[in-house]
């Protein structure tokens, strides 16, 4: 496992440089070492002009190093006069899960002021979801720092470096780290993902990025010459994608015969099936069903119904699943939440709500979220009554019966589910209240409003909707999806296809 550190020395550049060199030598004696700067993969100019894109590039460079130890040299403030150098280092540390080594210049500074500087730095780091894992000071001043901070006295010796190496790695999940983890998992076992909407420029741009970053093998449904011409106009390379046409006689006949067989009891003839599979959504879904692709991502140019109805007819539900549903993975500043069902089922019954909760918990766990399920309502515990509350009470009862090992609370209001202080008042003995991670909304209306309210008010990244309960993965896009959203959904679909 790789351990990552970033050495920062605000106002102490010379001392910080010496510490980096000494630490690099000590870590190299303990295993393989990769050392790079905080602008690796980007430039100060790019970071100033487009911080989000530049941070993603720097994170990619840091995470690409698979040495035992990765040491990042924090930004020299002289190289970043036009923006917040320390903020950049802290954002990179949080997203790379790198421990921050803080170097302080103690010359002429009394103990009280040193302690205050450490407190300010830790507060600043916490605001960026980063963690200061050690403070480096001259040996004569090391005793000035009290509390739980790991203090490394200068000059660094073996014991100090051992203490640093033995310190726990930061565990915060940022949107950037979640997306990077997702892409790493997709790369580890590349899958074939079909994109049936290459006439949409966003899809072509996303396909080019997926190919360039080796996230998945891309299949495009369309006319090969038109796709190549538009890609050239956009300045992107999708030549590595497989391109198939709905007019391919062999594929169309194969898919039509299978679709007619699947829908025989509904009276579908072979001739009707030929017409149906000429639709790109049906064609792409048949590719997944028949093993010619591992998953499909669509919806940038089509409605949700156009995307998912074929999957209900063709791929159908997985064994033991009574209902297909969806979740959004909400990438908050320092955590990931799962919201379901926000896209498929308008008014689920208590039995369906319980099954949605089980599917949502399983999906959340697959993507690294420890599932603690909140069955949401306008009432917490027994504080309210009415048919809507009764339905959530019954759904919670069924859920506990079906999944007795799952941490669940319901009915519960959103504030009690996420705020420990509210939870302490309303449900003081609950293992879920105040720390929920999976939120099951009582209706599609509530769920759709809820995820959009959180997304727009908090700046969260909403990944999804992720369809769950199908035999094979098909995922829908919002028609307002950004290129980044499409890339994330492709990676997520690929991970689902890994099983």
């Amino acid at each position: 496992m790789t351990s990552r550190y970033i050495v920062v020395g605000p106002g102490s550049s010379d001392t910080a440089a010496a510490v980096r060199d000494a630490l690099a030598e000590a870590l190299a004696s303990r295993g393989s070492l990769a050392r790079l700067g905080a602008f690796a993969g980007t430039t100060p100019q790019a970071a100033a002009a487009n911080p989000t894109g530049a941070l993603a590039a720097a994170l990619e460079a840091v995470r690409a190093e698979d040495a035992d130890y990765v040491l990042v040299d924090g930004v020299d403030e002289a190289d970043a006069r036009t923006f917040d150098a320390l903020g950049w280092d802290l954002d990179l540390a949080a997203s790379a899960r790198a421990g921050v080594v803080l170097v302080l210049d103690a010359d002429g500074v009394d103990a009280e002021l040193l302690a205050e500087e450490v407190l300010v730095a830790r507060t600043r780091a916490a605001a960026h979801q980063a963690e200061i894992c050690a403070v480096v000071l001259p040996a004569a001043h090391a005793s000035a720092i009290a509390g739980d901070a790991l203090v490394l006295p200068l000059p660094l010796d073996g014991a100090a470096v051992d203490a640093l190496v033995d310190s726990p790695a930061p565990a915060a999940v940022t949107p950037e780290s979640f997306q990077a983890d997702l892409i790493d998992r997709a790369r580890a076992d590349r899958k074939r993902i079909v994109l049936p909407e290459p006439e949409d420029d966003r899809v072509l741009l996303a396909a080019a990025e997926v190919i360039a970053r080796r996230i998945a093998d891309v299949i495009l449904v369309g006319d090969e010459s038109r796709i190549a011409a538009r890609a050239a106009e956009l300045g992107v390379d999708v030549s590595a994608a497989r391109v198939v046409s709905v007019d391919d006689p062999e594929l169309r006949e194969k898919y039509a015969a299978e679709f007619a067989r699947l829908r025989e009891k509904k009276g579908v003839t072979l001739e009707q099936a030929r017409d149906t599979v000429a639709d790109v959504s049906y064609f792409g879904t048949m590719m997944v069903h028949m093993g010619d692709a591992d998953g499909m991502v669509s919806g940038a140019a089509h409605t949700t119904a156009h995307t998912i109805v074929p999957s209900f007819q063709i791929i159908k539900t997985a064994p033991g699943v009574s209902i297909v549903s969806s979740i959004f993975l909400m990438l908050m500043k320092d955590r990931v939440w799962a919201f379901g069902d926000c896209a498929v089922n308008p008014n689920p019954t208590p039995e369906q709500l319980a099954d949605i909760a089980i599917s949502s918990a399983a999906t959340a766990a697959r993507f690294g979220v420890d599932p603690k399920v909140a069955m949401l309502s306008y009432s917490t515990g027994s504080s309210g009554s009415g048919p809507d509350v009764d339905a959530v009470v019954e759904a919670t009862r069924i859920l506990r019966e079906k999944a007795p090992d799952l941490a669940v609370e319901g009915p519960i209001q959103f504030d009690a589910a996420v705020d420990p202080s509210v939870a302490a008042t309303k449900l003081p003995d609950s293992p879920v209240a105040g720390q929920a991670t999976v939120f099951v909304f009582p209706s599609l209306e509530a769920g759709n409003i809820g995820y959009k309210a959180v997304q727009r008010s908090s700046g969260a990244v909403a990944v999804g909707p992720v369809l769950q309960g199908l035999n094979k993965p098909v995922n829908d896009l919002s028609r307002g999806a950004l290129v980044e959203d499409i890339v994330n959904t492709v990676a997520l679909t690929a991970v689902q296809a890994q099983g």
Side-chain angles (χ1 to χ4, degrees):
M1 180 177 176
T2 298
S3 297
R4 303 185 183 102
Y5 306 98
I6 182 166
V7 179
V8 301
S12 310
S13 57
D14 291 341
T15 306
V19 169
R20 290 171 192 138
D21 291 342
L23 186 55
E25 183 178 352
L27 292 175
S29 70
R30 288 163 168 76
S32 58
L33 172 72
R35 184 177 179 183
L36 61 166
F39 285 130
T42 186
T43 64
Q45 294 76 19
N50 179 16
T52 301
L55 180 63
L59 177 59
E60 180 99 359
V62 171
R63 289 179 61 109
E65 301 290 349
D66 61 358
D68 294 325
Y69 302 102
V70 175
L71 182 63
V72 180
D73 294 346
V75 176
D76 186 331
E77 293 178 356
D79 294 333
R81 298 178 184 277
T82 58
F83 74 110
D84 179 5
L86 179 59
W88 171 269
D89 289 339
L90 295 175
D91 284 339
L92 180 59
S95 297
R97 298 198 184 98
V100 177
V101 179
L102 175 66
V103 181
L104 294 179
D105 187 348
D107 287 346
V109 181
D110 62 30
E112 185 176 350
L113 184 55
L114 281 175
E116 184 66 22
E117 285 186 8
V118 172
L119 178 61
V120 169
R122 296 180 79 171
T123 302
R124 178 82 190 280
H128 289 259
Q129 287 74 53
E131 183 179 322
I132 293 178
C133 64
V135 180
V136 180
L137 285 168
H141 299 272
S143 60
I145 308 302
D148 59 354
L150 173 62
V151 180
L152 306 182
L154 289 175
L156 292 179
D157 59 19
V161 177
D162 287 344
L164 176 64
V165 169
D166 290 341
S167 63
V173 178
T174 69
E176 292 80 11
S177 66
F178 180 87
Q179 291 171 86
D181 288 344
L182 185 64
I183 287 168
D184 281 351
R185 290 179 64 183
R187 284 174 175 158
D189 180 13
R190 283 225 305 267
K191 296 299 180 183
R192 301 162 299 166
I193 305 301
V194 58
L195 304 175
E197 301 169 312
E199 71 281 356
D200 190 299
D201 288 350
R202 295 168 298 168
V203 173
L204 273 185
L205 293 168
E209 185 171 342
V210 167
I211 292 167
R213 298 175 69 183
R214 300 175 289 106
I215 296 169
D217 295 326
V218 173
I219 304 170
L220 300 173
V221 180
D223 181 272
E224 188 167 10
S225 60
R226 290 181 182 175
I227 290 171
R230 185 56 185 155
E233 291 172 355
L234 293 171
V236 297
D237 181 7
V238 295
S239 59
R242 178 189 174 197
V243 180
V244 297
S245 170
V246 296
D247 295 321
D248 182 300
E250 182 179 346
L251 290 177
R252 187 165 176 180
E253 194 63 23
K254 180 173 77 167
Y255 296 158
E258 174 65 3
F259 185 74
R261 184 191 70 79
L262 291 171
R263 305 294 289 171
E264 183 179 12
K265 292 182 180 178
K266 299 294 184 181
V268 175
T269 67
L270 180 59
E271 189 61 37
Q272 291 171 329
R274 290 189 183 106
D275 291 337
T276 299
V277 301
D279 179 282
V280 293
S281 290
Y282 277 92
F283 192 91
T285 305
M286 287 301 304
M287 292 193 76
V288 176
H289 170 68
M290 299 199 73
D292 294 330
D294 300 307
M296 183 177 85
V297 173
S298 188
H302 294 91
T303 65
T304 293
H306 195 183
T307 298
I308 68 176
V309 166
S311 66
F312 294 164
Q313 297 176 352
I314 298 167
I315 294 175
K316 302 181 180 179
T317 58
V321 176
S322 67
I323 187 171
V324 174
S325 59
S326 72
I327 65 167
F328 278 89
L329 294 171
M330 306 296 294
L331 312 188
M332 313 300 288
K333 287 181 68 177
D334 61 348
R335 70 197 70 187
V336 178
W337 284 342
F339 283 10
D341 173 9
C342 306
V344 179
N345 299 287
N347 293 293
T349 65
E351 292 80 4
Q352 291 172 331
L353 272 179
D355 283 348
I356 289 169
I358 291 171
S359 293
S360 298
T363 302
R366 174 175 288 178
F367 293 102
V369 179
D370 180 20
K372 296 181 179 180
V373 181
M375 304 295 285
L376 295 177
S377 173
Y378 61 76
S379 170
T380 294
S382 58
S383 66
S385 61
D388 292 337
V389 176
D390 293 343
V392 178
V393 170
E394 177 64 5
T396 304
R397 184 194 67 78
I398 295 170
L399 174 57
R400 286 179 170 144
E401 186 177 277
K402 284 188 169 185
D405 295 331
L406 191 61
V408 59
E409 188 62 71
I412 187 170
Q413 293 162 286
F414 192 86
D415 60 348
V418 301
D419 190 323
S421 63
V422 176
T425 300
K426 294 187 174 183
L427 288 170
D429 299 321
S430 171
V432 171
Q435 51 186 326
T437 57
V438 177
F439 303 82
V440 179
F441 290 82
S443 69
L444 177 60
E445 181 179 41
N448 197 269
I449 291 170
Y451 103 78
K452 288 187 176 179
V454 171
Q455 178 189 32
R456 298 300 179 183
S457 62
S458 71
V461 176
V463 179
V466 182
L467 293 185
Q468 50 192 14
L470 290 168
N471 267 313
K472 295 182 179 182
V474 170
N475 282 309
D476 181 39
L477 296 165
S478 164
R479 277 176 285 176
L482 304 174
V483 171
E484 178 188 27
D485 300 329
I486 301 172
V487 172
N488 285 337
T489 304
V490 169
L492 184 148
T493 305
V495 172
Q496 284 182 303
Q498 293 169 358

Short mmCIF file of all heavy atoms in Angstrom, two decimals, residues 29-52:
data_model
loop_
_atom_site.label_atom_id
_atom_site.label_comp_id
_atom_site.label_asym_id
_atom_site.label_seq_id
_atom_site.Cartn_x
_atom_site.Cartn_y
_atom_site.Cartn_z
N SER A 29 15.21 4.92 2.19
CA SER A 29 15.92 3.83 2.87
C SER A 29 14.97 2.76 3.40
O SER A 29 15.40 1.68 3.78
CB SER A 29 16.75 4.39 4.03
OG SER A 29 15.92 4.84 5.08
N ARG A 30 13.66 3.08 3.39
CA ARG A 30 12.66 2.14 3.92
C ARG A 30 11.87 1.43 2.82
O ARG A 30 11.09 0.53 3.10
CB ARG A 30 11.68 2.89 4.85
CG ARG A 30 12.29 3.30 6.17
CD ARG A 30 11.47 4.35 6.87
NE ARG A 30 11.89 4.56 8.25
CZ ARG A 30 12.97 5.22 8.62
NH1 ARG A 30 13.75 5.75 7.68
NH2 ARG A 30 13.28 5.36 9.88
N GLY A 31 11.99 1.87 1.60
CA GLY A 31 11.25 1.27 0.49
C GLY A 31 11.37 2.14 -0.74
O GLY A 31 12.14 3.10 -0.78
N SER A 32 10.60 1.82 -1.76
CA SER A 32 10.66 2.61 -2.99
C SER A 32 10.02 3.97 -2.75
O SER A 32 9.06 4.11 -1.99
CB SER A 32 9.95 1.88 -4.12
OG SER A 32 8.60 1.61 -3.79
N LEU A 33 10.56 4.98 -3.42
CA LEU A 33 10.11 6.36 -3.21
C LEU A 33 9.87 7.04 -4.54
O LEU A 33 10.67 6.93 -5.47
CB LEU A 33 11.16 7.16 -2.42
CG LEU A 33 10.90 8.67 -2.30
CD1 LEU A 33 9.73 8.94 -1.35
CD2 LEU A 33 12.15 9.40 -1.84
N ALA A 34 8.75 7.75 -4.64
CA ALA A 34 8.50 8.65 -5.75
C ALA A 34 8.37 10.05 -5.18
O ALA A 34 7.65 10.27 -4.20
CB ALA A 34 7.22 8.25 -6.49
N ARG A 35 9.08 10.99 -5.79
CA ARG A 35 9.02 12.37 -5.31
C ARG A 35 8.62 13.28 -6.47
O ARG A 35 9.16 13.17 -7.56
CB ARG A 35 10.37 12.79 -4.74
CG ARG A 35 10.36 14.20 -4.14
CD ARG A 35 11.71 14.53 -3.52
NE ARG A 35 11.72 15.88 -2.97
CZ ARG A 35 12.80 16.45 -2.41
NH1 ARG A 35 13.94 15.77 -2.33
NH2 ARG A 35 12.73 17.69 -1.95
N LEU A 36 7.66 14.13 -6.24
CA LEU A 36 7.20 15.03 -7.29
C LEU A 36 6.67 16.31 -6.67
O LEU A 36 6.46 16.39 -5.45
CB LEU A 36 6.13 14.38 -8.15
CG LEU A 36 4.82 13.91 -7.53
CD1 LEU A 36 3.80 13.62 -8.63
CD2 LEU A 36 4.99 12.65 -6.69
N GLY A 37 6.48 17.31 -7.50
CA GLY A 37 5.99 18.59 -7.02
C GLY A 37 4.47 18.65 -7.01
O GLY A 37 3.79 17.84 -7.65
N ALA A 38 3.94 19.62 -6.31
CA ALA A 38 2.49 19.76 -6.20
C ALA A 38 1.84 20.21 -7.49
O ALA A 38 0.62 20.16 -7.62
CB ALA A 38 2.14 20.74 -5.07
N PHE A 39 2.64 20.65 -8.46
CA PHE A 39 2.11 21.01 -9.78
C PHE A 39 2.38 19.91 -10.80
O PHE A 39 2.28 20.14 -12.00
CB PHE A 39 2.71 22.32 -10.27
CG PHE A 39 2.15 23.54 -9.59
CD1 PHE A 39 3.00 24.50 -9.08
CD2 PHE A 39 0.78 23.73 -9.46
CE1 PHE A 39 2.50 25.63 -8.46
CE2 PHE A 39 0.27 24.85 -8.83
CZ PHE A 39 1.13 25.81 -8.32
N ALA A 40 2.74 18.70 -10.36
CA ALA A 40 2.95 17.59 -11.28
C ALA A 40 1.68 17.38 -12.10
O ALA A 40 0.57 17.38 -11.55
CB ALA A 40 3.29 16.31 -10.51
N GLY A 41 1.83 17.21 -13.39
CA GLY A 41 0.68 17.00 -14.25
C GLY A 41 -0.01 18.28 -14.69
O GLY A 41 -0.93 18.25 -15.51
N THR A 42 0.43 19.42 -14.15
CA THR A 42 -0.17 20.70 -14.52
C THR A 42 0.87 21.80 -14.38
O THR A 42 2.07 21.52 -14.28
CB THR A 42 -1.43 20.98 -13.66
OG1 THR A 42 -2.08 22.16 -14.14
CG2 THR A 42 -1.08 21.14 -12.18
N THR A 43 0.43 23.05 -14.36
CA THR A 43 1.35 24.18 -14.23
C THR A 43 0.73 25.21 -13.30
O THR A 43 -0.50 25.23 -13.11
CB THR A 43 1.60 24.85 -15.59
OG1 THR A 43 0.35 25.40 -16.08
CG2 THR A 43 2.14 23.85 -16.61
N PRO A 44 1.54 26.11 -12.73
CA PRO A 44 0.96 27.19 -11.92
C PRO A 44 -0.04 28.03 -12.71
O PRO A 44 -1.06 28.47 -12.17
CB PRO A 44 2.18 28.01 -11.50
CG PRO A 44 3.33 27.05 -11.57
CD PRO A 44 3.02 26.14 -12.71
N GLN A 45 0.24 28.25 -13.99
CA GLN A 45 -0.66 29.06 -14.81
C GLN A 45 -2.01 28.37 -14.97
O GLN A 45 -3.07 29.00 -14.87
CB GLN A 45 -0.02 29.32 -16.19
CG GLN A 45 1.23 30.18 -16.16
CD GLN A 45 2.47 29.42 -15.68
OE1 GLN A 45 2.51 28.19 -15.69
NE2 GLN A 45 3.50 30.16 -15.26
N ALA A 46 -1.99 27.05 -15.22
CA ALA A 46 -3.24 26.30 -15.37
C ALA A 46 -4.01 26.27 -14.06
O ALA A 46 -5.24 26.37 -14.03
CB ALA A 46 -2.95 24.88 -15.85
N ALA A 47 -3.27 26.14 -12.94
CA ALA A 47 -3.92 26.10 -11.64
C ALA A 47 -4.61 27.42 -11.31
O ALA A 47 -5.67 27.45 -10.69
CB ALA A 47 -2.90 25.76 -10.56
N ALA A 48 -4.00 28.52 -11.75
CA ALA A 48 -4.61 29.83 -11.51
C ALA A 48 -5.82 30.04 -12.40
O ALA A 48 -6.83 30.61 -11.98
CB ALA A 48 -3.58 30.93 -11.75
N ALA A 49 -5.74 29.56 -13.65
CA ALA A 49 -6.82 29.80 -14.61
C ALA A 49 -7.98 28.84 -14.43
O ALA A 49 -9.15 29.22 -14.57
CB ALA A 49 -6.27 29.68 -16.03
N ASN A 50 -7.69 27.58 -14.11
CA ASN A 50 -8.74 26.55 -13.99
C ASN A 50 -8.38 25.61 -12.85
O ASN A 50 -7.91 24.50 -13.07
CB ASN A 50 -8.87 25.79 -15.31
CG ASN A 50 -9.93 24.69 -15.24
OD1 ASN A 50 -10.77 24.65 -14.33
ND2 ASN A 50 -9.91 23.79 -16.21
N PRO A 51 -8.61 26.03 -11.60
CA PRO A 51 -8.18 25.23 -10.46
C PRO A 51 -8.76 23.82 -10.44
O PRO A 51 -8.06 22.87 -10.10
CB PRO A 51 -8.66 26.04 -9.25
CG PRO A 51 -8.80 27.44 -9.75
CD PRO A 51 -9.22 27.31 -11.18
N THR A 52 -10.03 23.68 -10.81
CA THR A 52 -10.66 22.36 -10.75
C THR A 52 -10.01 21.39 -11.72
O THR A 52 -9.64 20.26 -11.36
CB THR A 52 -12.17 22.48 -11.05
OG1 THR A 52 -12.78 23.35 -10.09
CG2 THR A 52 -12.84 21.11 -10.98
#
